[in-house]
């Protein structure tokens, strides 16, 4: 490999990270494995090109091929989500949100978003984030009893504070999001509605979760979670907001677009339009359900009772272990998760009473029902014996065996779908 000769230090770090990815079970709900095609495009010569502006309206010469690449990404993105307009330049989900807020709001305006502690996101109005500093941020949460979105609270906060923008979106929430209810509340106070679908974009593209496109003024997303594309962001909007959104990204906020990443997004959008992508997403849902059921049977409380998407939040308090300790013990056993607050958590976020588990990445490796049951067993073994080094080593050996049986796929359609699990998730309402 050229890099090995040129920069052995960096080559060795990449090699080690590759081995880490191959040899661990990745349950981070926001991660996935891209195809070789996406990887190749992201590592292509398109990284060399400056192209501030948009296709056919650039500040630089030499853009004819990158213009076509970006236009392809825009067209595919619009087709995939049925959107009137797509901006594929945001470098990440946070930048997509920042641009959308800057396009629709003035500093000091009131926004209403979900509290991070209840399952929201930093950019939805947290005080340490730009969204909480630049805007007057009101925060909603979940019902204490059901741990589901508290629409009464959302409606009453909206009526009281008259936000200019309501944000519908989550990063640690396992139930279906009813975008129609959000739209009705936004309309009742004449607020803009922004849907942040970063986590569920792949499910929406596969029509396994209701879509906010057509309801929300603006929809933001990342491209690397359930959507299984390169690390980045997108903004979908109605025609009405097209010009404002585009002008906010450039010249308003970002510099040169990352054309290698934009092109890789286009490749991922094409992959997401294949019927096999739907099969993959159905398996993601089934795997999450199986994992939740298996953990529940072992005495774990699943936040909100169940999962209807790709993730589950697990309350681990009755196992006498904190979230940060669970995360650390599981990593020693080769199982990668993140600690997560549960709703109304008495602990601080860096301690946390729960863990968040997601199935997009392990489903990409072809794992199915029996592997989910086994992973639940292995998680339980670690959490109930987290100080027992021999037990941790035994679990790690089994994790390695599983990883060897299910290597990271090289191509998007290499994912092996276990036929007996191909049940359609009829229960999930689709727009
Ligand atoms: N960091 C992402 C997640 O893990 O949900 C959100 O930005």
């Amino acid at each position: 490999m050229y890099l090995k000769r040129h920069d052995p230090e960096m080559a060795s770090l990449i090699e080690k990270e590759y081995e880490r990815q191959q040899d661990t079970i990745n349950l981070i709900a926001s991660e996935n494995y891209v195809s070789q095609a996406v990887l190749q495009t992201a590592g292509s010569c398109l990284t060399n090109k400056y192209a501030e502006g948009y296709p056919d309206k650039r500040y630089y010469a030499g853009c004819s091929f990158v213009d076509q690449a970006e236009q392809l990404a825009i067209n595919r993105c619009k087709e995939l989500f049925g959107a009137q307009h797509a901006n594929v330049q945001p470098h990440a989900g946070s930048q997509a949100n920042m641009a959308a807020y800057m396009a629709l709001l003035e500093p000091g305006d009131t926004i209403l978003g979900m509290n991070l502690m209840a399952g929201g996101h930093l950019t939805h109005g947290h005080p340490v984030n730009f969204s909480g500093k630049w805007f007057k941020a009101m925060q909603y949460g979940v019902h204490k009893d059901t741990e589901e979105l508290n629409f009464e609270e959302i409606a009453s906060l909206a009526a009281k504070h008259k936000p200019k923008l309501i944000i519908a979106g989550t990063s640690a929430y396992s139930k279906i999001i009813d975008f129609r209810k959000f739209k009705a509340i936004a309309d009742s106070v004449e607020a803009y509605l922004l849907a942040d679908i970063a986590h569920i974009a792949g499910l929406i593209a596969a029509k396994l979760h209701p879509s906010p496109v057509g309801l929300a003024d603006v929809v933001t997303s990342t491209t690397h979670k359930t959507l299984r594309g390169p690390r980045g962001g997108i903004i979908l909007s109605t025609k009405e907001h097209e010009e404002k959104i585009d002008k906010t990204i450039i010249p308003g906020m970002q510099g040169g677009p990352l054309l290698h990443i934009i092109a890789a997004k286009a490749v991922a959008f094409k992959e997401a339009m294949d019927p096999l992508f739907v099969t993959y997403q159905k398996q993601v849902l089934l795997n999450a359900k199986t994992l939740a059921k298996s953990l529940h049977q072992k005495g774990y409380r699943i936040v909100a009772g169940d999962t209807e998407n790709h993730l589950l939040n697990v309350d681990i308090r009755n196992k006498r272990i904190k979230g940060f300790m669970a995360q650390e013990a599981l990593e020693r056993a080769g199982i990668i998760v993140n600690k997560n607050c549960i709703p109304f958590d008495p602990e601080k976020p860096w301690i946390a009473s729960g863990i968040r588990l997601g199935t997009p990445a392990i489903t990409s490796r072809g794992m199915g029902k029996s592997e989910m049951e086994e992973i639940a067993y292995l998680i339980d073994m670690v959490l109930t014996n987290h100080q027992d080094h021999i037990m941790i080593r035994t679990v790690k050996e089994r994790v390695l065996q599983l990883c060897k049986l299910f290597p990271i796929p090289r191509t998007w359609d290499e994912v092996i779908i276990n036929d007996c699990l191909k049940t359609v998730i009829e229960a999930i309402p689709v727009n």
Side-chain angles (χ1 to χ4, degrees), residues 16-205:
K16 283 182 185 145
E17 171 58 14
Y18 177 72
E19 282 163 14
R20 185 198 69 79
Q21 291 185 14
Q22 276 291 9
D23 294 345
T24 51
I25 289 176
N26 182 8
L27 296 171
I28 304 278
S30 48
E31 293 184 8
N32 212 329
Y33 306 109
V34 297
S35 68
Q36 286 292 108
V38 168
L39 206 53
Q40 192 180 350
T41 312
S44 71
C45 68
L46 270 60
T47 194
N48 297 333
K49 190 68 197 104
Y50 239 126
E52 280 172 340
Y54 290 101
D56 297 326
K57 284 171 276 181
R58 306 284 192 188
Y59 291 93
Y60 294 82
C63 288
S64 56
F65 298 114
V66 293
D67 272 4
Q68 292 175 58
E70 183 167 347
Q71 196 56 54
L72 199 54
I74 292 169
N75 294 348
R76 287 178 181 171
C77 187
K78 282 164 64 178
E79 187 184 341
L80 182 64
F81 291 102
Q84 290 175 359
H85 177 63
N87 187 308
V88 294
Q89 292 196 4
H91 300 330
S94 291
Q95 280 64 49
N97 283 344
M98 188 187 276
Y101 299 168
M102 283 174 65
L104 300 174
L105 307 170
E106 296 298 328
D109 278 345
T110 302
I111 61 171
L112 175 60
M114 190 176 194
N115 194 318
L116 181 74
M117 295 290 280
H121 190 254
L122 275 172
T123 58
H124 296 177
H126 195 283
V128 301
N129 184 261
F130 78 90
S131 56
K133 290 182 195 280
W134 295 355
F135 305 107
K136 197 172 155 215
M138 298 297 145
Q139 301 265 272
Y140 61 82
V142 292
H143 272 291
K144 201 149 195 160
D145 46 353
T146 61
E147 296 172 314
E148 295 194 13
L149 280 168
N150 187 341
F151 282 101
E152 293 79 38
E153 184 191 26
I154 299 167
S156 109
L157 285 170
K160 184 166 170 206
H161 299 287
K162 300 273 183 294
K164 196 162 166 193
L165 175 77
I166 297 179
I167 303 146
T170 62
S171 62
Y173 183 70
S174 64
K175 306 310 273 286
I176 296 281
I177 300 172
D178 190 337
F179 292 113
R180 277 168 301 198
K181 283 193 182 161
F182 273 108
K183 172 71 174 156
I185 295 171
D187 282 350
S188 73
V189 294
E190 291 178 15
Y192 290 122
L193 178 63
L194 181 146
D196 179 344
I197 61 166
H199 264 268
I200 52 176
L203 300 172
I204 289 175

